[in-house]
Amino acid sequence: MKRPTPMPLSTTLSDAALIERSWRDPEDFALLFDRHAGHIHRYVARRLGDDTADDVVSETFLAAFRQRRDYDTARPEALPWLYGIATNFIRRHQRAEIHRYKAYSKMGVLPDADDAAEQALERASAHAVRRPLAQALASLKARDRDVLLLVAWADLAYEEVANALSIPIGTVRSRLNRARGIVRNALGSTDPTTEQSS
């Protein structure tokens, strides 16, 4: 009788379990990279461009590897933690990010959007919205922009954003509310980060 082939670790273990295993066997951390590097890269590339994204993703996973023993294994999903680390590296490139949004506002384009963000932009008449949206993103304080884009582009829940940025959930709500207000005003009372227009 043939024994069934066991499922690979990459599909059976939670992120927290992989991180915990990597304490003993550091090579297991590579599985976490395989799971989440694409998500982190897309998010960073939208904010900083592909060239810089490659470096930021490398820095993010190197920092995560070094900090892996501090990870709260009570949280099975590590993606918010990785977004938080990436956001800290993005802040180092804040000038480049703002310059990018100003360039988008002049050209009337935004970086390639994936499904959720693209649908939100389409709901708000994307072609007419992109230029003022890019201007609004450039005008936001970095901490407000981080919260807004983690919700809109990384599709994180408020609690995940709070965990990613190590801030209280109430702070997430106030920063998001402030950022959405600025975006809404720039777009003539349309908010592409919500399901409905205001």
PDB file of all heavy atoms in Angstrom, residues 136-137 140-141 143-149 173-185 191 193:
ATOM      1  N   ALA A 136      -3.499  64.752  -4.320  1.00  0.00           N
ATOM      2  CA  ALA A 136      -3.932  64.580  -2.931  1.00  0.00           C
ATOM      3  C   ALA A 136      -2.983  63.653  -2.180  1.00  0.00           C
ATOM      4  O   ALA A 136      -2.624  63.927  -1.030  1.00  0.00           O
ATOM      5  CB  ALA A 136      -5.361  64.037  -2.889  1.00  0.00           C
ATOM      6  N   LEU A 137      -2.553  62.562  -2.805  1.00  0.00           N
ATOM      7  CA  LEU A 137      -1.614  61.642  -2.159  1.00  0.00           C
ATOM      8  C   LEU A 137      -0.295  62.339  -1.840  1.00  0.00           C
ATOM      9  O   LEU A 137       0.281  62.129  -0.774  1.00  0.00           O
ATOM     10  CB  LEU A 137      -1.367  60.408  -3.032  1.00  0.00           C
ATOM     11  CG  LEU A 137      -2.543  59.450  -3.166  1.00  0.00           C
ATOM     12  CD1 LEU A 137      -2.229  58.354  -4.180  1.00  0.00           C
ATOM     13  CD2 LEU A 137      -2.926  58.848  -1.827  1.00  0.00           C
ATOM     14  N   LEU A 140      -0.617  64.574   1.352  1.00  0.00           N
ATOM     15  CA  LEU A 140      -0.861  63.957   2.651  1.00  0.00           C
ATOM     16  C   LEU A 140       0.410  63.886   3.494  1.00  0.00           C
ATOM     17  O   LEU A 140       1.505  63.719   2.960  1.00  0.00           O
ATOM     18  CB  LEU A 140      -1.395  62.529   2.480  1.00  0.00           C
ATOM     19  CG  LEU A 140      -2.784  62.365   1.898  1.00  0.00           C
ATOM     20  CD1 LEU A 140      -3.080  60.889   1.671  1.00  0.00           C
ATOM     21  CD2 LEU A 140      -3.832  62.974   2.807  1.00  0.00           C
ATOM     22  N   LYS A 141       0.234  63.974   4.810  1.00  0.00           N
ATOM     23  CA  LYS A 141       1.346  63.687   5.704  1.00  0.00           C
ATOM     24  C   LYS A 141       1.703  62.220   5.518  1.00  0.00           C
ATOM     25  O   LYS A 141       0.825  61.383   5.281  1.00  0.00           O
ATOM     26  CB  LYS A 141       0.949  63.937   7.157  1.00  0.00           C
ATOM     27  CG  LYS A 141       0.744  65.393   7.483  1.00  0.00           C
ATOM     28  CD  LYS A 141       0.352  65.556   8.941  1.00  0.00           C
ATOM     29  CE  LYS A 141       0.125  67.025   9.253  1.00  0.00           C
ATOM     30  NZ  LYS A 141      -0.313  67.220  10.635  1.00  0.00           N
ATOM     31  N   ARG A 143       2.428  59.830   7.513  1.00  0.00           N
ATOM     32  CA  ARG A 143       1.755  58.859   8.389  1.00  0.00           C
ATOM     33  C   ARG A 143       0.308  58.643   7.961  1.00  0.00           C
ATOM     34  O   ARG A 143      -0.210  57.532   8.062  1.00  0.00           O
ATOM     35  CB  ARG A 143       1.851  59.292   9.838  1.00  0.00           C
ATOM     36  CG  ARG A 143       1.168  60.601  10.114  1.00  0.00           C
ATOM     37  CD  ARG A 143       1.415  61.078  11.517  1.00  0.00           C
ATOM     38  NE  ARG A 143       0.593  62.247  11.757  1.00  0.00           N
ATOM     39  CZ  ARG A 143       0.799  63.090  12.722  1.00  0.00           C
ATOM     40  NH1 ARG A 143       1.789  62.899  13.553  1.00  0.00           N
ATOM     41  NH2 ARG A 143       0.008  64.126  12.884  1.00  0.00           N
ATOM     42  N   ASP A 144      -0.348  59.682   7.447  1.00  0.00           N
ATOM     43  CA  ASP A 144      -1.720  59.533   6.960  1.00  0.00           C
ATOM     44  C   ASP A 144      -1.731  58.753   5.643  1.00  0.00           C
ATOM     45  O   ASP A 144      -2.600  57.907   5.426  1.00  0.00           O
ATOM     46  CB  ASP A 144      -2.378  60.894   6.769  1.00  0.00           C
ATOM     47  CG  ASP A 144      -2.568  61.646   8.080  1.00  0.00           C
ATOM     48  OD1 ASP A 144      -2.466  61.025   9.161  1.00  0.00           O
ATOM     49  OD2 ASP A 144      -2.799  62.870   8.021  1.00  0.00           O
ATOM     50  N   ARG A 145      -0.768  59.051   4.778  1.00  0.00           N
ATOM     51  CA  ARG A 145      -0.667  58.346   3.498  1.00  0.00           C
ATOM     52  C   ARG A 145      -0.396  56.854   3.739  1.00  0.00           C
ATOM     53  O   ARG A 145      -0.971  55.995   3.073  1.00  0.00           O
ATOM     54  CB  ARG A 145       0.435  58.971   2.636  1.00  0.00           C
ATOM     55  CG  ARG A 145       0.546  58.371   1.250  1.00  0.00           C
ATOM     56  CD  ARG A 145       1.533  59.097   0.319  1.00  0.00           C
ATOM     57  NE  ARG A 145       2.790  59.420   0.952  1.00  0.00           N
ATOM     58  CZ  ARG A 145       3.192  60.664   1.274  1.00  0.00           C
ATOM     59  NH1 ARG A 145       2.414  61.700   1.016  1.00  0.00           N
ATOM     60  NH2 ARG A 145       4.367  60.864   1.826  1.00  0.00           N
ATOM     61  N   ASP A 146       0.467  56.545   4.704  1.00  0.00           N
ATOM     62  CA  ASP A 146       0.758  55.145   5.017  1.00  0.00           C
ATOM     63  C   ASP A 146      -0.516  54.394   5.379  1.00  0.00           C
ATOM     64  O   ASP A 146      -0.776  53.298   4.857  1.00  0.00           O
ATOM     65  CB  ASP A 146       1.751  55.031   6.180  1.00  0.00           C
ATOM     66  CG  ASP A 146       3.149  55.505   5.833  1.00  0.00           C
ATOM     67  OD1 ASP A 146       3.488  55.573   4.626  1.00  0.00           O
ATOM     68  OD2 ASP A 146       3.910  55.806   6.772  1.00  0.00           O
ATOM     69  N   VAL A 147      -1.326  54.964   6.263  1.00  0.00           N
ATOM     70  CA  VAL A 147      -2.559  54.311   6.691  1.00  0.00           C
ATOM     71  C   VAL A 147      -3.507  54.163   5.509  1.00  0.00           C
ATOM     72  O   VAL A 147      -4.052  53.078   5.263  1.00  0.00           O
ATOM     73  CB  VAL A 147      -3.226  55.087   7.853  1.00  0.00           C
ATOM     74  CG1 VAL A 147      -4.637  54.567   8.126  1.00  0.00           C
ATOM     75  CG2 VAL A 147      -2.375  54.995   9.114  1.00  0.00           C
ATOM     76  N   LEU A 148      -3.714  55.227   4.772  1.00  0.00           N
ATOM     77  CA  LEU A 148      -4.629  55.188   3.628  1.00  0.00           C
ATOM     78  C   LEU A 148      -4.226  54.116   2.622  1.00  0.00           C
ATOM     79  O   LEU A 148      -5.057  53.322   2.171  1.00  0.00           O
ATOM     80  CB  LEU A 148      -4.686  56.554   2.941  1.00  0.00           C
ATOM     81  CG  LEU A 148      -5.563  56.624   1.688  1.00  0.00           C
ATOM     82  CD1 LEU A 148      -7.034  56.556   2.075  1.00  0.00           C
ATOM     83  CD2 LEU A 148      -5.278  57.887   0.910  1.00  0.00           C
ATOM     84  N   LEU A 149      -2.943  54.058   2.281  1.00  0.00           N
ATOM     85  CA  LEU A 149      -2.514  53.122   1.244  1.00  0.00           C
ATOM     86  C   LEU A 149      -2.436  51.687   1.751  1.00  0.00           C
ATOM     87  O   LEU A 149      -2.612  50.749   0.964  1.00  0.00           O
ATOM     88  CB  LEU A 149      -1.185  53.581   0.635  1.00  0.00           C
ATOM     89  CG  LEU A 149      -1.286  54.933  -0.100  1.00  0.00           C
ATOM     90  CD1 LEU A 149       0.059  55.330  -0.687  1.00  0.00           C
ATOM     91  CD2 LEU A 149      -2.364  54.917  -1.163  1.00  0.00           C
ATOM     92  N   ARG A 173      -7.992  54.898  12.671  1.00  0.00           N
ATOM     93  CA  ARG A 173      -9.272  55.473  12.244  1.00  0.00           C
ATOM     94  C   ARG A 173      -9.160  56.979  12.017  1.00  0.00           C
ATOM     95  O   ARG A 173      -9.666  57.500  11.021  1.00  0.00           O
ATOM     96  CB  ARG A 173     -10.354  55.177  13.279  1.00  0.00           C
ATOM     97  CG  ARG A 173     -10.811  53.744  13.265  1.00  0.00           C
ATOM     98  CD  ARG A 173     -12.010  53.531  14.198  1.00  0.00           C
ATOM     99  NE  ARG A 173     -12.483  52.181  14.093  1.00  0.00           N
ATOM    100  CZ  ARG A 173     -12.292  51.241  15.018  1.00  0.00           C
ATOM    101  NH1 ARG A 173     -11.656  51.531  16.132  1.00  0.00           N
ATOM    102  NH2 ARG A 173     -12.765  50.038  14.836  1.00  0.00           N
ATOM    103  N   SER A 174      -8.495  57.689  12.932  1.00  0.00           N
ATOM    104  CA  SER A 174      -8.409  59.145  12.777  1.00  0.00           C
ATOM    105  C   SER A 174      -7.526  59.521  11.588  1.00  0.00           C
ATOM    106  O   SER A 174      -7.864  60.430  10.834  1.00  0.00           O
ATOM    107  CB  SER A 174      -7.936  59.818  14.066  1.00  0.00           C
ATOM    108  OG  SER A 174      -6.628  59.429  14.387  1.00  0.00           O
ATOM    109  N   ARG A 175      -6.407  58.817  11.404  1.00  0.00           N
ATOM    110  CA  ARG A 175      -5.542  59.118  10.254  1.00  0.00           C
ATOM    111  C   ARG A 175      -6.240  58.796   8.942  1.00  0.00           C
ATOM    112  O   ARG A 175      -6.146  59.549   7.976  1.00  0.00           O
ATOM    113  CB  ARG A 175      -4.231  58.339  10.358  1.00  0.00           C
ATOM    114  CG  ARG A 175      -3.317  58.856  11.430  1.00  0.00           C
ATOM    115  CD  ARG A 175      -2.033  58.074  11.492  1.00  0.00           C
ATOM    116  NE  ARG A 175      -1.206  58.515  12.612  1.00  0.00           N
ATOM    117  CZ  ARG A 175      -0.054  57.966  12.954  1.00  0.00           C
ATOM    118  NH1 ARG A 175       0.428  56.946  12.252  1.00  0.00           N
ATOM    119  NH2 ARG A 175       0.624  58.434  13.979  1.00  0.00           N
ATOM    120  N   LEU A 176      -6.948  57.673   8.924  1.00  0.00           N
ATOM    121  CA  LEU A 176      -7.663  57.293   7.714  1.00  0.00           C
ATOM    122  C   LEU A 176      -8.780  58.283   7.417  1.00  0.00           C
ATOM    123  O   LEU A 176      -8.971  58.693   6.264  1.00  0.00           O
ATOM    124  CB  LEU A 176      -8.222  55.878   7.852  1.00  0.00           C
ATOM    125  CG  LEU A 176      -8.896  55.298   6.617  1.00  0.00           C
ATOM    126  CD1 LEU A 176      -7.933  55.243   5.434  1.00  0.00           C
ATOM    127  CD2 LEU A 176      -9.425  53.906   6.927  1.00  0.00           C
ATOM    128  N   ASN A 177      -9.494  58.698   8.434  1.00  0.00           N
ATOM    129  CA  ASN A 177     -10.563  59.677   8.257  1.00  0.00           C
ATOM    130  C   ASN A 177     -10.006  60.994   7.701  1.00  0.00           C
ATOM    131  O   ASN A 177     -10.569  61.579   6.769  1.00  0.00           O
ATOM    132  CB  ASN A 177     -11.280  59.910   9.584  1.00  0.00           C
ATOM    133  CG  ASN A 177     -12.484  60.796   9.420  1.00  0.00           C
ATOM    134  OD1 ASN A 177     -13.314  60.575   8.548  1.00  0.00           O
ATOM    135  ND2 ASN A 177     -12.576  61.818  10.263  1.00  0.00           N
ATOM    136  N   ARG A 178      -8.892  61.442   8.273  1.00  0.00           N
ATOM    137  CA  ARG A 178      -8.264  62.681   7.813  1.00  0.00           C
ATOM    138  C   ARG A 178      -7.793  62.542   6.360  1.00  0.00           C
ATOM    139  O   ARG A 178      -8.046  63.401   5.518  1.00  0.00           O
ATOM    140  CB  ARG A 178      -7.094  63.030   8.735  1.00  0.00           C
ATOM    141  CG  ARG A 178      -6.418  64.330   8.438  1.00  0.00           C
ATOM    142  CD  ARG A 178      -5.395  64.765   9.486  1.00  0.00           C
ATOM    143  NE  ARG A 178      -4.567  63.697  10.029  1.00  0.00           N
ATOM    144  CZ  ARG A 178      -4.654  63.227  11.277  1.00  0.00           C
ATOM    145  NH1 ARG A 178      -5.557  63.716  12.117  1.00  0.00           N
ATOM    146  NH2 ARG A 178      -3.856  62.267  11.694  1.00  0.00           N
ATOM    147  N   ALA A 179      -7.128  61.428   6.045  1.00  0.00           N
ATOM    148  CA  ALA A 179      -6.632  61.210   4.682  1.00  0.00           C
ATOM    149  C   ALA A 179      -7.783  61.106   3.689  1.00  0.00           C
ATOM    150  O   ALA A 179      -7.740  61.698   2.604  1.00  0.00           O
ATOM    151  CB  ALA A 179      -5.777  59.947   4.632  1.00  0.00           C
ATOM    152  N   ARG A 180      -8.830  60.377   4.062  1.00  0.00           N
ATOM    153  CA  ARG A 180      -9.985  60.259   3.168  1.00  0.00           C
ATOM    154  C   ARG A 180     -10.645  61.613   2.952  1.00  0.00           C
ATOM    155  O   ARG A 180     -11.125  61.909   1.851  1.00  0.00           O
ATOM    156  CB  ARG A 180     -10.996  59.263   3.722  1.00  0.00           C
ATOM    157  CG  ARG A 180     -10.600  57.834   3.502  1.00  0.00           C
ATOM    158  CD  ARG A 180     -11.643  56.883   4.035  1.00  0.00           C
ATOM    159  NE  ARG A 180     -11.395  55.538   3.557  1.00  0.00           N
ATOM    160  CZ  ARG A 180     -11.884  54.452   4.130  1.00  0.00           C
ATOM    161  NH1 ARG A 180     -12.660  54.551   5.193  1.00  0.00           N
ATOM    162  NH2 ARG A 180     -11.620  53.268   3.641  1.00  0.00           N
ATOM    163  N   GLY A 181     -10.683  62.442   3.985  1.00  0.00           N
ATOM    164  CA  GLY A 181     -11.260  63.780   3.833  1.00  0.00           C
ATOM    165  C   GLY A 181     -10.481  64.613   2.828  1.00  0.00           C
ATOM    166  O   GLY A 181     -11.071  65.292   1.980  1.00  0.00           O
ATOM    167  N   ILE A 182      -9.175  64.545   2.902  1.00  0.00           N
ATOM    168  CA  ILE A 182      -8.331  65.292   1.960  1.00  0.00           C
ATOM    169  C   ILE A 182      -8.530  64.764   0.542  1.00  0.00           C
ATOM    170  O   ILE A 182      -8.691  65.530  -0.413  1.00  0.00           O
ATOM    171  CB  ILE A 182      -6.855  65.232   2.389  1.00  0.00           C
ATOM    172  CG1 ILE A 182      -6.670  66.051   3.674  1.00  0.00           C
ATOM    173  CG2 ILE A 182      -5.929  65.724   1.282  1.00  0.00           C
ATOM    174  CD1 ILE A 182      -5.334  65.853   4.360  1.00  0.00           C
ATOM    175  N   VAL A 183      -8.540  63.437   0.408  1.00  0.00           N
ATOM    176  CA  VAL A 183      -8.749  62.839  -0.914  1.00  0.00           C
ATOM    177  C   VAL A 183     -10.134  63.182  -1.437  1.00  0.00           C
ATOM    178  O   VAL A 183     -10.308  63.564  -2.595  1.00  0.00           O
ATOM    179  CB  VAL A 183      -8.530  61.305  -0.858  1.00  0.00           C
ATOM    180  CG1 VAL A 183      -9.004  60.631  -2.137  1.00  0.00           C
ATOM    181  CG2 VAL A 183      -7.059  60.988  -0.593  1.00  0.00           C
ATOM    182  N   ARG A 184     -11.122  63.072  -0.575  1.00  0.00           N
ATOM    183  CA  ARG A 184     -12.504  63.379  -0.968  1.00  0.00           C
ATOM    184  C   ARG A 184     -12.622  64.825  -1.452  1.00  0.00           C
ATOM    185  O   ARG A 184     -13.239  65.105  -2.478  1.00  0.00           O
ATOM    186  CB  ARG A 184     -13.436  63.115   0.219  1.00  0.00           C
ATOM    187  CG  ARG A 184     -14.846  62.824  -0.135  1.00  0.00           C
ATOM    188  CD  ARG A 184     -15.748  62.409   1.027  1.00  0.00           C
ATOM    189  NE  ARG A 184     -15.215  62.487   2.369  1.00  0.00           N
ATOM    190  CZ  ARG A 184     -14.795  61.433   3.081  1.00  0.00           C
ATOM    191  NH1 ARG A 184     -14.817  60.229   2.565  1.00  0.00           N
ATOM    192  NH2 ARG A 184     -14.349  61.595   4.311  1.00  0.00           N
ATOM    193  N   ASN A 185     -12.025  65.759  -0.720  1.00  0.00           N
ATOM    194  CA  ASN A 185     -12.057  67.169  -1.129  1.00  0.00           C
ATOM    195  C   ASN A 185     -11.358  67.375  -2.468  1.00  0.00           C
ATOM    196  O   ASN A 185     -11.837  68.124  -3.317  1.00  0.00           O
ATOM    197  CB  ASN A 185     -11.425  68.056  -0.062  1.00  0.00           C
ATOM    198  CG  ASN A 185     -12.305  68.197   1.158  1.00  0.00           C
ATOM    199  OD1 ASN A 185     -13.515  67.995   1.094  1.00  0.00           O
ATOM    200  ND2 ASN A 185     -11.690  68.532   2.275  1.00  0.00           N
ATOM    201  N   ASP A 191     -14.729  59.491  -2.910  1.00  0.00           N
ATOM    202  CA  ASP A 191     -13.654  58.785  -2.198  1.00  0.00           C
ATOM    203  C   ASP A 191     -13.463  57.415  -2.850  1.00  0.00           C
ATOM    204  O   ASP A 191     -14.275  56.521  -2.656  1.00  0.00           O
ATOM    205  CB  ASP A 191     -14.026  58.632  -0.715  1.00  0.00           C
ATOM    206  CG  ASP A 191     -12.920  57.979   0.097  1.00  0.00           C
ATOM    207  OD1 ASP A 191     -11.926  57.517  -0.503  1.00  0.00           O
ATOM    208  OD2 ASP A 191     -13.066  57.931   1.312  1.00  0.00           O
ATOM    209  N   THR A 193     -11.537  55.125  -2.059  1.00  0.00           N
ATOM    210  CA  THR A 193     -11.106  54.087  -1.122  1.00  0.00           C
ATOM    211  C   THR A 193     -12.273  53.465  -0.386  1.00  0.00           C
ATOM    212  O   THR A 193     -12.074  52.607   0.446  1.00  0.00           O
ATOM    213  CB  THR A 193     -10.092  54.642  -0.087  1.00  0.00           C
ATOM    214  OG1 THR A 193     -10.760  55.595   0.734  1.00  0.00           O
ATOM    215  CG2 THR A 193      -8.900  55.256  -0.767  1.00  0.00           C
TER     216      THR A 193
END
